[in-house]
Amino acid sequence: GENVEQHPSTLSVQEGDSAVIKCTYSDSASNYFPWYKQELGKRPQLIIDIRSNVGEKKDQRIAVTLNKTAKHFSLHITETQPEDSAVYFCAASPGKLKYGNKLVFGAGTILRVKS
Amino acid sequence: DAGVTQSPTHLIKTRGQQVTLRCSPISGHKSVSWYQQVLGQGPQFIFQYYEKEERGRGNFPDRFSARQFPNYSSELNVNALLLGDSALYLCASSPGQYSYEQYFGPGTRLTVT
């Protein structure tokens, strides 16, 4: 089945610096790759996503890139702010009919933005 | 995503007991998925329901079951609770069976003692 690996597990950056989180997936049929932000005690919140027919997507300070050949995708946050501190999860959708819209999540990255 | 509701917020049960968790999706969404999130890990897929039928199942034992009602709300049942079932149970709502975007509810924190 699909497996998603996420690195690093923790990331500390100075306010204003950039942060990059990387994920790899195993199933070449995967076709949808969302990123979720989860603050302590709160629900995972969809912040950006990308589909397999797109290489890059940007939304203000966040961007996601996808390399289908290498089977990896990355989250880029520029000009980080203290409120960006949270746990970030990447996920992949296996894309097979029998799984419906199942998402397979990475283990998460704790991002700390120091002011 | 603010429209997905779950109840109860917190629950404490004893080993061997049974529990029922509830979820109401965003208005207009017909698909509900359930995920288990153990502390320090990413959510793990349990079930997807669409039009009252199971459309996907993760690697969970038969002690886990679910159903979806005509109004698209859903219940997750867990029988014979084990200590390892302690987790945050998340419900995710999406418009259709193969809709990409999923929006999570606040979750139910289950503690098994």
Side-chain angles (χ1 to χ4, degrees):
Chain A
E2 173 70 285
N3 183 51
V4 177
E5 293 190 357
Q6 183 171 347
H7 300 280
S9 56
T10 60
L11 179 61
S12 290
V13 299
Q14 283 294 134
E15 182 178 358
D17 287 351
S18 295
V20 180
I21 302 170
K22 299 180 180 181
C23 289
T24 59
Y25 60 97
S26 60
D27 188 346
S28 57
S30 291
N31 56 9
Y32 174 66
F33 308 90
W35 286 88
Y36 286 86
K37 173 184 180 182
Q38 188 174 29
E39 297 176 70
L40 191 63
K42 296 191 176 181
R43 73 187 76 190
Q45 180 185 3
L46 178 64
I47 57 171
I48 196 167
D49 56 14
I50 193 167
R51 302 187 185 187
S52 59
N53 59 346
V54 176
E56 184 174 358
K57 183 176 178 181
K58 189 174 182 180
D59 183 4
Q60 299 182 354
R61 296 187 298 109
I62 59 173
V64 57
T65 58
L66 171 65
N67 184 326
K68 286 172 56 180
T69 302
K71 291 190 284 187
H72 67 70
F73 55 113
S74 301
L75 177 71
H76 304 254
I77 306 174
T78 58
E79 301 172 18
T80 54
Q81 302 168 3
E83 51 265 38
D84 293 331
S85 296
V87 181
Y88 290 80
F89 292 98
C90 63
S93 182
K96 293 182 174 60
L97 295 181
K98 66 177 179 177
Y99 294 126
N101 66 356
K102 168 185 178 180
L103 292 175
V104 178
F105 284 82
T109 295
I110 301 172
L111 174 64
R112 296 191 185 95
V113 180
K114 298 175 285 187
S115 56
Chain B
D1 60 356
V4 181
T5 59
Q6 291 186 244
S7 63
T9 305
H10 296 91
L11 206 51
I12 299 175
K13 290 286 188 178
T14 304
R15 275 177 298 175
Q17 287 187 314
Q18 175 263 341
V19 67
T20 298
L21 312 180
R22 296 175 177 83
C23 170
S24 291
I26 293 170
S27 178
H29 284 194
K30 299 181 178 181
S31 172
V32 170
S33 296
W34 287 95
Y35 290 81
Q36 180 196 64
Q37 187 177 25
V38 173
L39 197 61
Q41 298 181 19
Q44 272 201 294
F45 175 77
I46 308 175
F47 290 112
Q48 181 197 6
Y49 273 77
Y50 173 75
E51 294 287 6
K52 297 183 290 181
E53 291 190 10
E54 182 183 300
R55 302 292 181 163
R57 172 185 278 259
N59 294 327
F60 281 81
D62 292 343
R63 299 185 296 107
F64 289 76
S65 63
R67 56 179 176 169
Q68 186 177 33
F69 299 98
N71 66 353
Y72 305 111
S73 67
S74 177
E75 286 182 351
L76 175 70
N77 297 285
V78 187
N79 294 322
L81 286 167
L82 304 174
L83 294 179
D85 295 331
S86 295
L88 179 67
Y89 288 84
L90 294 162
C91 168
S93 163
S94 56
Q97 181 178 355
Y98 300 112
S99 300
Y100 287 110
E101 295 85 357
Q102 294 186 47
Y103 301 94
F104 284 91
T108 294
R109 172 72 62 188
L110 172 65
T111 302
V112 182
T113 61

